[in-house]
């Protein structure tokens, strides 16, 4: 997995980098097919914003979150991403089962 963390108008310190990577590890545990992750942390006046694009096989998942505190924005972003990954994983599992139902039984 490729992890790319970018800061716009904010310096990405090792503490922030470690915090983001630990939050994303929880998401990666749920889903193994992640090829790359791009995280953008930005500051606009009083609003701290965290965006992530997760590349999985067949789809890109995008989540953004903003808050007054950067760490709170990262937490919210990780929660939203976790929900999206679980939904995508369930959808992929459901499609696989439907394909088996519609096949003709072997004689």
């Amino acid at each position: 997995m490729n992890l790319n963390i970018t800061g716009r108008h904010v310096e990405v310190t090792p503490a922030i980098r470690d915090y983001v990577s630990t939050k994303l590890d929880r998401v990666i545990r749920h889903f193994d097919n992640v090829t790359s992750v791009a995280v953008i942390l930005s500051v606009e006046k009083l609003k701290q914003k965290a965006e992530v694009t997760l590349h999985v096989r067949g789809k890109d998942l995008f989540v953004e979150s903003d808050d007054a505190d950067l760490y709170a924005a990262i937490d919210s972003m990780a929660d939203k991403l976790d929900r999206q990954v679980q939904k995508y994983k369930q959808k992929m599992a459901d499609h696989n089962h439907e394909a088996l139902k519609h096949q003709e039984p072997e004689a």
Side-chain angles (χ1 to χ4, degrees), residues 31 56-59 61 83-93:
F31 198 61
V56 294
R57 188 179 62 202
K59 188 162 181 144
L61 302 174
R83 285 193 300 269
Q84 275 197 11
V85 165
Q86 287 179 353
K87 182 178 175 182
Y88 176 72
K89 187 177 176 182
Q90 184 65 39
K91 190 180 285 190
M92 294 304 293

Side-chain angles (χ1 to χ4, degrees), residues 25-37:
D25 282 341
R26 184 182 72 187
V27 174
I28 303 307
R29 257 188 301 147
H30 290 296
F31 198 61
D32 297 331
N33 298 332
V34 176
T35 56
S36 67
V37 179

Side-chain angles (χ1 to χ4, degrees), residues 36-91:
S36 67
V37 179
V39 179
I40 300 173
L41 306 172
S42 61
V43 176
E44 299 171 359
K45 293 193 179 183
L46 299 176
K47 185 170 69 171
Q48 315 286 326
K49 189 173 183 181
E51 304 174 4
V52 64
T53 304
L54 188 87
H55 301 283
V56 294
R57 188 179 62 202
K59 188 162 181 144
D60 293 340
L61 302 174
F62 176 77
V63 174
E64 67 180 357
S65 176
D66 55 356
D67 203 306
D69 181 31
L70 184 61
Y71 287 98
I74 293 169
D75 287 340
S76 175
M77 174 202 63
D79 292 339
K80 288 179 184 180
L81 185 64
D82 192 33
R83 285 193 300 269
Q84 275 197 11
V85 165
Q86 287 179 353
K87 182 178 175 182
Y88 176 72
K89 187 177 176 182
Q90 184 65 39
K91 190 180 285 190

